[in-house]
Amino acid sequence: MSEEGAGPGGWPVVVRVPVEPAEAAMEADARDAAARHSALAVRGPLFGVARQSKGDGQRWRVIVDVTHGCPQQARDALNSLLWFRAKDEAKSPAERCALLGAVARLENEYVDELTLLGARYRVVRAEEYAAMDEHGGIETPRPTDPEPLTPDWSPGAGARSPRVDAGLVLDPDAPLTPLEAAERLSLRALAYTGTRFPGPVLHDSAQALESHPDVLLLPAAFLIVERSGNEPWTPGSGLQATAHDARRTLAFALTWMEPRTRGLISYDAEPDIDAHTLVAENTHPAVAELAAFADAADRLRARRLNQVEVRGTVFRVGRVRRLLRWGPDGPESPRPCDINTHAPQAIHPRLDEHGSVHFDDPAPDEAAS
């Protein structure tokens, strides 16, 4: 990837000086982080869905988190959102029919944009990237990143975690702090370069600089990255809204998933069996290895660590950013070169215009035969 210069085109950026103590501290934190991390590691695109309603002006509202690995996953999420809206919220048969018409399109077509009941829906594309220091280390959470006053480590806490993009409004005219403005301007020219990328990828990336010359930076998110020895960092989790959510994910992985992945605990074992339970029993033949994972999870919980090492593998809570390109008509959609992992398909049972669900309808292939 290249990142030189301020980039072509774009809109004027409104800069505001932070005056509140908390915001001033975040700005100082960002300045320190920029001094420590002078390089970027770009992972690739992520996809979500945004909606623009009457009266929103240039603003778009994220309704499907920009965390999906391919465009079709975002379309499927929109499919479900509209299906449940038709089932539970439609005010009339006509409104329900309009929603179900959109669902039918999403079941059969690669739809990147549709207009429905006075609102526009668009599958949007963002680049995921992380800052890196001179030693190749991915940035960890900053001191001013939100943390719960009382961390909840209970197994069911993940279900109560906030969505990564909950309530997010995409507004190209929103005022920015000086560091936010500098980052936004410096990344306007970010594009794929180099021979390791296929020609269509390079072509679409260059085209995006022209069609969507500005960028918006989405809120920071957090995930687990890991590496052994001098190998590159690899992602070990999906994106989380807070650093604590990522730590809780890591604690579970260390005691439950990693022992199973490494063959220390059978996948057929009862779900409540993990490294802690087997270490307490002290009869398992691999108890010493399991104790290393249990100890790492305990240290993570006790000290809010952002990194632990277990048996030669370093696990780190990484702080990642997402960049969404912006043009005259709003956020960028998927590019022609973006790959879908599966085709459009029916996700839910048939719902009729009266709101009745038909579970016994034959599958489309059976009905056609």
Side-chain angles (χ1 to χ4, degrees):
M1 303 285 285
S2 67
E3 58 190 76
E4 296 83 7
W11 282 261
V13 175
V14 179
V15 180
R16 57 180 173 80
V17 177
V19 293
E20 296 295 330
E23 191 177 49
M26 293 177 66
E27 184 75 352
D29 205 3
R31 184 171 58 250
D32 293 343
R36 292 193 303 269
H37 302 86
S38 57
L40 296 182
V42 180
R43 181 181 175 189
L46 293 171
F47 304 88
V49 179
R51 179 182 65 209
Q52 185 184 53
S53 300
K54 184 178 180 180
D56 283 342
Q58 293 193 89
R59 297 184 297 274
W60 291 70
R61 301 172 188 274
V62 173
I63 60 170
V64 171
D65 290 351
V66 189
T67 58
H68 296 274
C70 85
Q72 190 54 44
Q73 292 173 344
R75 297 185 197 106
D76 290 345
L78 177 60
N79 182 331
S80 283
L81 188 152
L82 296 179
W83 189 91
F84 279 105
R85 181 177 164 189
K87 174 178 174 291
D88 301 327
E89 302 176 21
K91 302 295 191 300
S92 67
E95 181 178 337
R96 185 173 290 112
C97 284
L99 290 163
L100 293 177
V103 169
R105 285 193 62 195
L106 288 161
E107 290 176 344
N108 294 281
E109 305 173 30
Y110 293 97
V111 180
D112 287 334
E113 181 158 347
L114 55 85
T115 300
L116 174 64
L117 300 173
R120 300 169 68 190
Y121 294 80
R122 179 178 295 176
V123 177
V124 298
R125 181 191 197 278
E127 294 284 357
E128 179 186 351
Y129 65 96
M132 301 189 71
D133 62 25
E134 60 182 357
H135 304 294
I138 291 178
E139 183 182 11
T140 55
R142 299 173 184 174
T144 49
D145 286 328
E147 296 275 7
L149 293 177
T150 305
D152 186 351
W153 297 96
S154 60
R160 302 188 294 273
S161 299
R163 287 179 26 232
V164 172
D165 293 324
L168 179 61
V169 175
L170 306 175
D171 183 359
D173 296 324
L176 304 174
T177 68
L179 264 295
E180 291 171 339
E183 184 174 7
R184 176 172 164 182
L185 292 172
S186 68
L187 292 176
R188 278 182 175 172
L190 188 69
Y192 290 104
T193 59
T195 57
R196 68 189 181 97
F197 294 104
V201 172
L202 297 174
H203 174 269
D204 290 353
S205 184
Q207 287 291 105
L209 294 181
E210 301 295 328
S211 61
H212 296 79
D214 206 355
V215 298
L216 263 65
L217 304 181
L218 305 189
F222 305 87
L223 83 166
I224 306 306
V225 294
E226 59 187 74
R227 73 174 177 184
S228 299
N230 294 322
E231 295 178 0
W233 291 99
T234 58
S237 75
L239 296 187
Q240 306 290 333
T242 71
H244 176 68
D245 291 317
R247 290 191 200 100
R248 184 175 53 237
T249 299
L250 177 55
F252 172 79
L254 290 170
T255 58
W256 199 96
M257 183 56 71
E258 282 293 322
R260 284 167 168 78
T261 301
R262 296 176 184 234
L264 303 177
I265 300 176
S266 170
Y267 280 105
D268 296 329
E270 293 295 323
D272 59 347
I273 292 178
D274 64 6
H276 279 121
T277 58
L278 293 178
V279 169
E281 292 176 2
N282 199 29
T283 59
H284 195 281
V287 66
E289 295 176 76
L290 291 168
F293 286 99
D295 175 68
D298 290 342
R299 288 185 285 115
L300 184 76
R301 290 188 177 101
R303 298 165 52 192
R304 288 191 180 184
L305 298 178
N306 291 321
Q307 179 172 304
V308 292
E309 183 173 355
V310 186
R311 304 190 67 81
T313 300
V314 177
F315 299 88
R316 174 177 290 190
V317 177
R319 186 184 199 272
V320 299
R321 301 294 300 272
R322 292 161 296 157
L323 173 155
L324 187 150
R325 300 208 70 89
W326 198 273
D329 193 38
E332 183 184 16
S333 296
R335 299 173 184 174
C337 65
D338 290 326
I339 297 173
N340 293 291
T341 58
H342 59 283
Q345 59 188 328
I347 300 174
H348 299 286
R350 187 174 72 85
L351 180 69
D352 66 27
E353 67 272 21
H354 304 293
S356 299
V357 180
H358 297 266
F359 293 99
D360 55 351
D361 277 7
D365 292 344
E366 297 174 2
S369 61

